């Protein structure tokens, strides 16, 4: 059974940092391109960025470039989203996704709220 489980979300103040994790199981993680998406209230889901199976960041959204970093630990089958200098507009439900050869799996999402 394939599972992607996000963790690390919550309430943070503007300017603070937050680390999201997405632990996977049931997939051969090292082959998967992993991505982060987010969906703010009343808005469509948007891509935050991706990391290739080789560990290279790919297509980081302009809105988060320079503030968010995506990394992966293949030994732990986990992908991370390091969020720094967060802003109220980063408030959203964050999702991870895994892709490999037409197979696509999503996590259930985790809430991040940026507010003072």
């Amino acid at each position: 059974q394939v599972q992607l489980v996000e963790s690390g979300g919550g309430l943070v103040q503007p300017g603070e940092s937050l680390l999201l994790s997405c632990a996977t199981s049931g997939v051969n993680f090292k082959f998967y391109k992993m991505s982060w998406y987010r969906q703010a209230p009343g808005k469509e889901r948007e891509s935050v960025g991706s990391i290739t199976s080789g560990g290279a960041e790919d297509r980081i959204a302009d809105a988060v470039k320079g503030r968010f970093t995506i990394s992966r630990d293949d030994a732990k089958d986990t992908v991370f989203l390091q969020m720094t200098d967060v802003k109220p507009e980063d408030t959203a439900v964050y999702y991870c996704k895994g892709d490999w050869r037409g197979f696509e799996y999503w996590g259930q999402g985790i809430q991040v709220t940026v507010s003072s």
Side-chain angles (χ1 to χ4, degrees):
Q1 181 180 1
V2 176
Q3 285 191 313
L4 282 69
V5 181
E6 299 94 340
S7 62
L11 174 64
V12 292
Q13 295 189 352
E16 292 186 339
S17 297
L18 196 66
L19 177 66
L20 301 185
S21 301
C22 172
T24 71
S25 60
V27 297
N28 202 337
F29 179 80
K30 65 181 180 181
F31 295 120
Y32 276 70
K33 175 182 178 180
M34 299 300 298
S35 303
W36 286 96
Y37 285 76
R38 67 184 183 182
Q39 187 166 17
K43 295 187 177 181
E44 293 187 355
R45 191 174 298 187
E46 64 178 4
S47 173
V48 174
S50 301
I51 186 164
T52 67
S53 58
E57 281 189 320
D58 184 39
R59 300 180 183 178
I60 302 300
D62 288 341
V64 306
K65 197 170 293 183
R67 300 189 297 120
F68 290 11
T69 302
I70 300 174
S71 61
R72 63 191 296 155
D73 186 339
D74 288 353
K76 296 182 178 180
D77 295 346
T78 301
V79 62
F80 304 96
L81 179 66
Q82 177 69 60
M83 307 167 62
T84 64
D85 189 24
V86 296
K87 303 176 180 181
E89 51 264 41
D90 294 323
T91 295
V93 177
Y94 284 73
Y95 301 87
C96 65
K97 185 184 79 167
D99 291 275
W100 179 65
R101 293 190 178 182
F103 293 95
E104 181 180 290
Y105 301 103
W106 289 85
Q108 82 286 351
I110 193 162
Q111 178 69 45
V112 172
T113 302
V114 183
S115 175
S116 56

